[in-house]
């Protein structure tokens, strides 16, 4: 099996996880994607807040879903990359 990398992107409106297969030549191809909408809270005009627990839950859920779609387990993942807003 090729090396696999899991990418988690935490945005303002959603959480996304992508399982990437990395070839011997270093080329990346998406094996599976999962995305869940993240609820936003607006306590004042111009302010946006998120619940930290909801962020964690959506990150975990999207990571598990991407692995399941790609028929992988955590042991297949060589590295995890995280981006955020």
């Amino acid at each position: 099996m090729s090396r696999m990398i899991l990418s988690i992107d935490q945005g303002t409106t959603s959480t996304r996880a992508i399982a990437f297969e990395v070839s011997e030549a270093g080329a990346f191809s998406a094996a599976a994607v999962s995305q869940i909408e993240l609820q936003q809270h607006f306590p004042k005009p111009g302010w946006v807040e998120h619940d930290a627990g909801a962020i964690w839950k959506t990150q975990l859920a999207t990571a598990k879903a991407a692995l399941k779609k790609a028929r992988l387990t955590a042991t297949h993942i060589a590295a995890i990359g995280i981006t955020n807003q």
Side-chain angles (χ1 to χ4, degrees), residues 17-75:
I18 306 171
F20 287 99
E21 184 175 357
V22 184
S23 73
E24 292 297 322
F28 286 68
S29 62
V33 179
S34 177
Q35 183 175 2
I36 298 174
E37 187 175 323
L38 183 65
Q39 184 177 6
Q40 299 181 68
H41 306 278
F42 302 95
K44 294 182 180 182
W47 287 26
V48 178
E49 293 181 353
H50 298 97
D51 177 272
I55 291 172
W56 167 244
K57 286 177 185 175
T58 59
Q59 289 176 346
L60 185 58
T62 56
K64 286 181 176 182
L67 292 179
K68 185 175 181 178
K69 286 180 183 179
R71 298 183 180 171
L72 302 170
T73 66
T75 60

